[in-house]
Amino acid sequence: MNKLDLVIFDCDGVLVDSEILAARVEAQLLTEAGFEISAEELAETYAGLTFKDILLSVEQRAGIPLQASLIDKAEELIDRRLKQDVRAIDGVHEAVAQVATPRCICSNSRADRIEFMLEKTRLLPLFAGRIFSALDTPSGKTKPAPDVFLHAAKTLGADPARTFVIEDSVHGINGATAAGMRVIGFTGASHSYPGHADALTEAGAETVIRRWAELKSVLAALSEWSENA
């Protein structure tokens, strides 16, 4: 793995099993606002996006005006749910600790939310000082924009072409590939759905893993291979 400069982990749905918790809150709020959707449908369609971007998409898709106050309400309710129920994905501690390459997190979540989730799940020591929220980048653009990935690489002195990203969403993969990075898809969280792996592959993931035990060997194999070789 000495050919890699950096390994970037998404947070929600990759390190911590939070996507389904957020989706349940967001789906309930949208349904109450007149756009009926299940948590599973929301996670499949919108995982990886901020709730603000989800609202904009729903308004465009359904022609239903939605109150901006829903964003603050969702943030409050999701924080409450995460503080009670968020847990680490099985096997993630060991898998991350085995990554000898420099590592970091790139997420659309707020920095304070990322930190309290990592602290609750005992993952914070593995990423302290290397947590990048898209909301805090110079542009403030969230995924699927590539900005947070490029900002992390620049900050850490990594070549995007020598960087791997682990992502669970099509939107995240779109951002990583736009940044010129290579992607491993992940489907081991509770919000995963039939066809999830295929969707990630179609979006640009070179391979997809379901269990964290697979990461070390997959990284080793892919780091030896390049389309430009």
Side-chain angles (χ1 to χ4, degrees):
M1 281 186 257
N2 57 357
K3 295 183 179 181
L4 301 183
D5 283 357
L6 181 65
V7 176
I8 297 176
F9 294 81
D10 180 37
C11 184
D12 297 284
V14 171
L15 298 173
V16 296
D17 205 1
S18 53
E19 282 285 3
I20 192 62
L21 300 176
R24 287 169 183 160
V25 171
E26 292 165 351
Q28 182 177 348
L29 290 174
L30 286 171
T31 298
E32 291 172 352
F35 182 75
E36 188 170 349
I37 188 170
S38 69
E40 292 73 21
E41 291 171 326
L42 188 144
E44 180 175 347
T45 306
Y46 298 111
L49 295 181
T50 63
F51 191 51
K52 177 182 178 181
D53 287 337
I54 293 173
L55 292 182
L56 291 172
S57 179
V58 168
E59 282 188 328
Q60 186 176 32
R61 173 179 164 187
I64 298 174
L66 297 169
Q67 298 294 322
S69 60
L70 285 175
I71 298 173
D72 290 337
K73 187 172 183 180
E75 289 293 293
E76 178 185 350
L77 293 174
I78 290 169
D79 279 348
R80 191 182 306 166
R81 179 71 65 86
L82 292 172
K83 286 176 181 177
Q84 292 176 347
D85 299 328
V86 74
R87 65 176 183 83
I89 305 290
D90 290 344
V92 69
H93 296 87
E94 297 80 3
V96 172
Q98 288 177 346
V99 175
T101 305
R103 56 185 180 254
C104 73
I105 290 172
C106 286
S107 172
N108 274 353
S109 286
R110 304 187 323 266
D112 65 305
R113 176 180 287 172
I114 300 168
E115 291 196 9
F116 83 63
M117 289 192 295
L118 295 181
E119 185 171 14
K120 180 176 175 60
T121 56
R122 299 180 293 104
L123 284 162
L124 188 57
L126 295 171
F127 294 101
R130 294 186 172 220
I131 298 170
F132 297 90
S133 167
L135 300 170
D136 297 331
T137 59
S139 70
K141 292 182 179 178
T142 54
K143 306 173 192 175
D147 299 42
V148 67
F149 297 114
L150 294 171
H151 177 65
K154 182 178 179 180
T155 301
L156 299 175
D159 179 353
R162 291 158 56 92
T163 297
F164 267 105
V165 179
I166 295 102
E167 273 283 355
D168 68 302
S169 75
V170 167
H171 302 293
I173 290 175
N174 288 339
T177 55
M181 298 175 179
R182 301 170 69 185
V183 187
I184 297 169
F186 182 75
T187 61
S190 297
H191 71 288
S192 190
Y193 54 90
H196 191 183
D198 290 339
L200 300 185
T201 301
E202 290 170 9
E206 293 184 29
T207 191
V208 177
I209 61 174
R210 188 178 62 84
R211 298 169 58 250
W212 277 119
E214 303 170 57
L215 180 66
K216 184 177 180 180
S217 60
V218 167
L219 268 179
L222 290 181
S223 67
E224 296 294 330
W225 175 87
S226 170
E227 289 182 338
N228 300 319

